[in-house]
Amino acid sequence: MGQIQAKVSAEALLHRLAAGQALDREDYLCLIEQQQTLAEPAAALARQARRRTYGDRVFIRGLIEISNHCRNNCYYCGIRAGNRAVERYRLSEEEILASASAGYALGFRSFVLQGGEDPQYTDEYLCRIVRELKRRYGDCAVTLSLGERSYESYRMLREAGADRYLLRHETANGEHYAQLHPPSMSHAARLQCLHWLQELGYQTGAGFMVGSPGQTLKHLADEMLFLRQLRPQMVGIGPFLPQRDTPLHAHAPGSAELTIFLLSLIRLMLPEVLLPATTALGTADPMGREKGIMAGANVLMPNLSPPDVRGKYLLYDNKIHTGVEAAQHIEALRERIRKTGCEIVIDRGDHIGKTGENHHEL
Ligand code: SAH
């Protein structure tokens, strides 16, 4: 196919996607290959799609990084168990509650507790924290992002009041998964966890890194099909960024532009999805957050961890944690987002298909 012809048919595919038609793997591959020419029209269509679902409202989540202890050894991740250079920390219950209290005063109505898979955080302990957060801040959503746990653990946490769970699948391809993780971890286990979370009525978030080592454009086409089938309420994607003390330190970083384009495609495929412009995107490009919002994203997750630990949760090199990334600078972020034509709102920011308390679904 000639260059011009390829461009014309890719644009037609983009409009079919925006009209809600199902594309196949070849279609997605064709779109992804035409990233350069399609980025702008895709972003414009994605903004329209977001306007129809969430308006120009951007939701914020206060990200509390509760522990950088981890039993796993993911090859890409800076807080992997094998990294001896990490200064480990674990927040106390008081520190977590104090972070949430500061966030509440700043207008956050949604908190994300994220961490490594830290065996010290037992179900009982985490349930107590979730219950206390929900007791103190009944109008807030509590999201957990603590990796793989047992069905029983997810069930207890849900019962304690957790509303959402973020667990990126990292890649939809089992062989690729094995290139990024040690043999002790399995793709099947990851997917099992995601299905449990959905079954338990969590607003569930999946996602992957863009440009992770070994990833091809065909893999990305498969990511689209995977997400369409899983239908998560949230999708977190960000560029892979190398971390110097990990086995994948020498690999090139993923592209911010490709990430932004994929945000648009995901918005078009799943118009109701909650879609963050992630910290990794903001790290790869200082304007990444704004560009993400302009491409159809509608969530930001500023850092609400106690300032003294922010520099220790380093999943990748140069991770931003000051400036507008700090929850305390929410007013500056608000101004920056206003320039995109969107408005940061004080709201739980539920998925529109799943609002309010979800407990009746248990
Ligand atoms: N332990 C939790 C939270 C992981 S950190 C869990 O397993 O879900 C959150 C996300 O950061 C990961 O899912 C991964 O996609 C991303 N991440 C980790 N290392 C990264 C790197 N080097 N570059 C970009 N993103 C990374």
Side-chain angles (χ1 to χ4, degrees), residues 70 76-78 114-117 145-148 166-168 170 190 208-209 238-243 280 313 315-316:
C70 191
Y76 46 84
C77 184
Q114 190 181 79
E117 292 190 16
S145 179
L146 301 170
E148 296 174 28
L166 307 177
L167 184 74
R168 293 187 179 179
E170 312 297 359
R190 197 83 179 167
F208 57 91
M209 291 175 286
F240 160 75
L241 298 171
Q243 201 283 337
Y313 195 80
L315 307 176
Y316 41 81

Side-chain angles (χ1 to χ4, degrees), residues 40-84:
E40 274 193 32
L45 289 166
R47 284 196 298 275
Q48 282 173 26
R50 184 197 52 210
R51 200 163 290 137
R52 280 195 294 270
T53 47
Y54 292 95
D56 290 323
R57 293 149 53 85
V58 168
F59 302 124
I60 47 171
R61 326 289 194 202
L63 183 64
I64 308 174
E65 295 155 337
I66 66 173
S67 168
N68 69 356
H69 289 266
C70 191
R71 63 186 169 133
N72 286 332
N73 252 316
C74 306
Y75 297 149
Y76 46 84
C77 184
I79 63 167
R80 64 201 303 273
N83 185 359
R84 307 281 292 274

Side-chain angles (χ1 to χ4, degrees), residues 13 16 21-31 221-222 224-225 228:
L13 285 174
R16 279 178 49 200
Q21 293 178 28
L23 304 188
D24 65 19
R25 185 168 185 257
E26 289 306 309
D27 296 336
Y28 279 114
L29 185 57
C30 175
L31 285 175
D222 286 334
M224 297 300 293
L225 298 184
R228 188 176 65 198

